[in-house]
Amino acid sequence: MKTLLKIAVGILVVMVLLQFITAPKNVSAVSDSKSFVKTFNTPKGVESILHKSCFDCHSNNTEYPWYANIQPVEMFLAKHIKEGKEKLNFDELNDLGKRQRRSKFTGIIEQIEQDKMPLNSYLWMHPNAHLSEKDKSVLIQYFETLKVK
């Protein structure tokens, strides 16, 4: 029993100490004029879908839930967002050449069609981020139009 108590106290101490380690937040000081929505003149319907299902991991600004300040959740989210932005950052698409942008838009369409985005791990805590068939259709049509511009 003493061993079990020592293990429990040890875990508690580690969890408390972890709270003093913070990960950087994905909140950009860059002006809104560089945002995907402004740059690509995104319609309101598309914008709302992107905000609820994509931008938390794939833009320069994340809306953090309350539990994002608790370790080790904060570290997990920071890593997840960093990886998401490395693959696709909507706010940096305008910096790409036309061919690279078209490739990104094609990739976005494929991810949506194959139900690979949003990730299940994101949907567990954000069930409203699930893309309905209508949402998918709206996004696919929108990104198809961007591919030809």
Side-chain angles (χ1 to χ4, degrees), residues 4 18 24 47 54 59 62 68 120 123 144 146:
L4 195 57
L18 275 176
E47 179 182 354
C54 308
S59 78
T62 298
N120 285 329
L123 293 174
E144 286 289 354
L146 290 181

Side-chain angles (χ1 to χ4, degrees), residues 13-27:
V13 168
V14 168
M15 291 303 290
V16 169
L17 291 176
L18 275 176
Q19 302 315 305
F20 293 100
I21 301 170
T22 59
K25 298 286 189 202
N26 182 41
V27 179

Side-chain angles (χ1 to χ4, degrees), residues 107-126:
I108 292 167
I109 292 167
E110 288 172 359
Q111 294 286 308
I112 294 168
E113 288 175 338
Q114 296 170 10
D115 289 324
K116 291 185 176 178
M117 285 288 148
L119 295 175
N120 285 329
S121 59
Y122 184 76
L123 293 174
W124 292 337
M125 296 305 285
H126 303 87

